[in-house]
């Protein structure tokens, strides 16, 4: 066997998967399966055209937009990152500053359009079952709920459907509050 033949016989084939995209698709289907029958439509990657006609015009794409037939709106951004709900000794927390700014930007856009935004948030695979919610920006007078939530996953979690149900019920409770 020549050197070239030996090299070609050692080739490995496979597929590369964008797990963050799979997380978004998983959440889209989970929301659709649980909320569509309640009058919600779920859109993924809805295009927002910002600053049209300027040199800095761009499009943004929130991961998940839920619209109810009565006009209520929910905007969620899927994040496939570790979430421990912790701060380090420097004061940094698990929530990336850019992720926070991103969801706040989407919230501001829909609010300025006059949409009836009731909830926005970041959705993670949770390593600790400790979701949090407050009002948008933590302002007392805000009528918009802000959440950091997701599906609790753990190496020994055998029934992921139970964790999905817990997430859906928390979300349903916030939406209907």
């Amino acid at each position: 066997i020549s050197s070239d033949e030996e090299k070609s016989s050692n080739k490995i084939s496979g597929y590369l998967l964008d797990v963050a995209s799979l997380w978004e698709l998983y959440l889209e289907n989970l929301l659709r399966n649980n909320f569509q029958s309640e009058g919600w439509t779920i859109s993924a990657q809805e295009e927002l055209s910002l600053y049209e006609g300027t040199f800095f015009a761009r499009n943004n794409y929130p991961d998940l937009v839920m619209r109810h037939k009565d006009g209520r709106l929910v905007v969620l951004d899927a994040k496939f990152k570790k979430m421990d709900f912790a701060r380090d000794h420097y004061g940094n927390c698990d929530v990336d500053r850019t992720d926070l700014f991103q969801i706040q930007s989407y919230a501001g856009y829909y609010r300025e359009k006059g949409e009836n935004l009731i909830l926005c948030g970041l959705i993670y695979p949770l390593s600790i079952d400790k979701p949090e919610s407050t009002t948008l920006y933590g302002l007392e007078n805000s009528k918009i709920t802000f959440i950091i939530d997701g599906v609790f996953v753990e190496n020994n979690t055998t029934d992921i459907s139970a964790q999905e149900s817990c997430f859906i019920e928390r979300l349903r409770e916030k939406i209907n509050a």
Side-chain angles (χ1 to χ4, degrees):
I1 296 179
S2 73
S3 174
D4 287 337
E5 289 174 335
E6 188 175 310
K7 285 180 186 174
S8 68
S9 68
N10 291 332
K11 288 184 180 176
I12 298 173
S13 65
Y15 298 98
L16 292 176
L17 298 173
D18 180 352
V19 179
S21 292
L22 290 176
W23 174 245
E24 291 171 20
L25 185 60
Y26 162 74
L27 289 173
E28 177 187 356
N29 285 308
L30 183 62
L31 295 174
R32 186 170 286 123
N33 290 340
N34 285 279
F35 287 99
Q36 196 165 10
S37 64
E38 298 172 19
W40 291 90
T41 56
I42 288 75
S43 303
Q45 300 294 318
E46 185 172 291
E47 184 176 17
L48 309 181
S49 297
L50 308 176
Y51 303 107
E52 289 182 352
T54 67
F55 79 92
F56 53 91
R58 65 189 62 229
N59 292 329
N60 279 347
Y61 303 89
D63 293 331
L64 300 161
V65 177
M66 297 173 60
R67 293 180 188 282
H68 194 269
K69 61 186 177 185
D70 67 9
R72 291 179 292 160
L73 179 79
V74 173
V75 179
L76 303 169
D77 218 40
K79 299 298 178 190
F80 193 76
K81 300 176 183 180
K82 186 176 181 183
M83 175 49 62
D84 289 328
F85 295 94
R87 281 192 175 276
D88 65 20
H89 60 280
Y90 298 109
N92 300 314
C93 69
D94 288 344
V95 180
D96 289 342
R97 185 177 171 188
T98 54
D99 294 341
L100 195 58
F101 289 165
Q102 183 180 26
I103 192 65
Q104 290 169 348
S105 174
Y106 298 150
Y109 175 85
Y110 286 109
R111 222 180 37 223
E112 287 297 315
K113 276 188 65 182
E115 301 255 12
N116 184 16
L117 179 66
I118 60 166
L119 184 140
C120 62
L122 302 171
I123 308 300
Y124 296 87
L126 303 179
S127 59
I128 295 176
D129 195 10
K130 185 183 163 190
E132 289 206 24
S133 70
T134 184
T135 58
L136 186 59
Y137 308 113
L139 299 174
E140 288 180 31
N141 63 343
S142 178
K143 293 181 171 102
I144 301 167
T145 301
F146 176 77
I147 63 169
I148 294 181
D149 206 328
V151 178
F152 176 59
V153 293
E154 195 177 287
N155 290 343
N156 62 358
T157 301
T158 55
D159 188 5
I160 193 71
S161 64
Q163 299 304 324
E164 292 171 342
S165 294
C166 289
F167 166 64
I168 292 299
E169 286 310 309
R170 286 192 305 269
L171 188 56
R172 187 174 281 126
E173 184 180 298
K174 298 292 181 198
I175 287 172
N176 294 320

